Amino acid sequence: MATPVDLPYDVSSEETYDRPDEVGYRNPSGSSPKIVPPASAGASRTQAAALLALWSALVLSEGTIRFVASNPAQDLTPGGPGLSPLTLFLGGASEAAFGLTGLVIGASSFLFGLNRPAVTASFLVGQTLLSVYVFFLYVFVQPALRARDLTEPLLPGMSIGSSRVLLAMGIFTSFSFCLALQGGQFLMGARLLAYQKQVEGSPPGLATAATKHNRIRTAAWSINMMVAGLSTIVAGALLTREVTGSSTFPAFFAAPPHVGVYPVLTLVTGLMMIAYAGLGIAAAAAGRLYVALVAATLPTYLLMYLNFALVQVGGIGMGRAIEAAPLHSGLVAVTVALVPYFASEWRKEREEMA
């Protein structure tokens, strides 16, 4: 049974203190009493700050790779068809900017105890505006233009139509991966803001929603994983159909994040992702299976890491597509991690209500 001190925003009506820095202090002028934060608010704030720093470091890494890949030393406005180099330059720079800012805010809170809710709130506004541009540019616009302008198949013997289907599956998988990265960064920032306000005794406002509804978030991020799994299955099945007399291709396939030479591994990984997503949805619906979900997290992550980063990219050889390995490593980690994280938070919610 939760005690009053464990409940958020409990206002003490019996004890008062003489010093303004003490919890429960009453303003002599008779103004509204100071809100007493829950006992766990400080630890929750520290956890949220660490997670914001982690997510932001991965965002910064992805933004840096994309910025360098845009070849900023070239003429950024040459004219002609396709995306302007300036568009990709701004995309990479924008992602690096809100990745670096989130890293500074999260690390400052986690390592040095520097907490300024106004700064965190401003970051969330800027992150939202910039991430929308980055998300649509790299998830939808760039691959869609590539599919539209395709004149040769992605692999010898594959039709243009099949190549476009493969690129479409890459869009669906990228949608799930990038949503987990950029959306996850926003969520961790919003949770940090809510706990910062709790600790200082201020009304949390809209930020408090980021600390609740963890059951819904468990199901939502499981569905996000399912979308990625389904598109990976279709990509793997399509690629496996193209294999003739060998388990690998003479040329590598590239419909990011589906990059490599082992189509069967892509198919098997998609099946594993679907199974894990189904387990997450079942855990959210039934309120059980938490232990099974956590136990399945590491095998799922390892297989996804091998498929999207280590084995597939390493199998291409000759240093080709090497930027895909670090890029996909972070995307895989956050896509998997969000499911058990919110399942754990929901478990804590149930225990507090018991």
Side-chain angles (χ1 to χ4, degrees), residues 126-276:
Q127 192 265 4
T128 300
L129 296 175
L130 292 177
S131 66
V132 168
Y133 170 71
V134 172
F135 187 86
F136 277 91
L137 172 62
Y138 288 104
V139 173
F140 295 112
V141 177
Q142 188 179 42
L145 290 177
R146 182 186 175 199
R148 184 198 68 181
D149 300 335
L150 201 65
T151 57
E152 295 182 357
L154 297 180
L155 288 166
M158 178 181 279
S159 68
I160 296 291
S162 295
S163 298
R164 285 179 172 147
V165 171
L166 184 59
L167 289 171
M169 293 305 103
I171 291 175
F172 281 112
T173 311
S174 292
F175 173 88
S176 297
F177 284 4
C178 293
L179 184 63
L181 181 64
Q182 296 175 24
Q185 185 197 31
F186 178 88
L187 267 178
M188 299 310 167
R191 291 171 74 85
L192 174 60
L193 176 60
Y195 291 125
Q196 285 175 332
K197 290 190 170 187
Q198 276 191 10
V199 171
E200 72 173 16
S202 302
L206 295 176
T208 191
T211 66
K212 305 298 180 183
H213 315 300
N214 293 306
R215 181 180 190 177
I216 296 174
R217 288 195 172 94
T218 302
W221 289 114
S222 297
I223 293 171
N224 184 65
M225 169 72 85
M226 184 164 285
V227 171
L230 285 171
S231 55
T232 301
I233 287 175
V234 174
L238 182 63
L239 289 165
T240 302
R241 189 186 67 181
E242 301 294 328
V243 173
T244 54
S246 173
S247 61
T248 63
F249 290 120
F252 71 93
F253 53 87
H258 304 297
V259 178
V261 294
Y262 303 108
V264 175
L265 179 57
T266 300
L267 177 59
V268 172
T269 301
L271 293 171
M272 182 72 165
M273 293 166 68
I274 286 291
Y276 184 73

Side-chain angles (χ1 to χ4, degrees), residues 30-103:
S31 59
S32 299
K34 186 174 181 179
I35 296 173
V36 179
S40 61
S44 298
R45 183 185 65 182
T46 300
Q47 182 196 64
L51 289 173
L52 174 61
L54 173 61
W55 249 258
S56 298
L58 295 174
V59 171
L60 176 59
S61 176
E62 182 177 81
T64 302
I65 293 170
R66 285 172 166 169
F67 178 81
V68 173
S70 72
N71 190 13
Q74 68 176 319
D75 179 8
L76 298 178
T77 56
L83 280 175
S84 165
L86 179 62
T87 304
L88 298 175
F89 169 85
L90 292 175
S94 298
E95 188 170 21
F98 65 77
L100 179 60
T101 307
L103 177 59

